[in-house]
Amino acid sequence: DYIVIVRKGLMVVGGTLVQGMPYVVSAIAGGIAPIADLASGNYTTILGVASSTSVLDVEIKASGIAL
């Protein structure tokens, strides 16, 4: 078994993304979600922006700020 850590760059995901949509750390452990899914009290950690429907352009920004 192995693990791949992506800090920056293009990453093919195993799901469908909306091109141009920013993606964030989900409130559900281990998940990612579109930024529109954030709710009050969630911390904003941007993972990147979808460059296509299957590729996330990763550039992590942990704001430390709750909505």
Side-chain angles (χ1 to χ4, degrees):
D1 292 334
Y2 64 93
I3 185 170
V4 176
I5 298 172
V6 178
R7 293 184 184 172
K8 187 173 182 175
L10 301 177
M11 179 181 82
V12 176
V13 297
T16 303
L17 304 172
V18 176
Q19 187 172 350
M21 175 74 69
Y23 282 82
V24 297
V25 173
S26 173
I28 299 170
I32 69 170
I35 198 163
D37 286 1
L38 286 179
S40 181
N42 291 143
Y43 283 85
T44 306
T45 301
I46 298 172
L47 297 174
V49 177
S51 59
S52 73
T53 58
S54 62
V55 177
L56 186 66
D57 188 357
V58 177
E59 189 163 342
I60 300 169
K61 170 67 174 153
S63 72
I65 301 170
L67 291 179

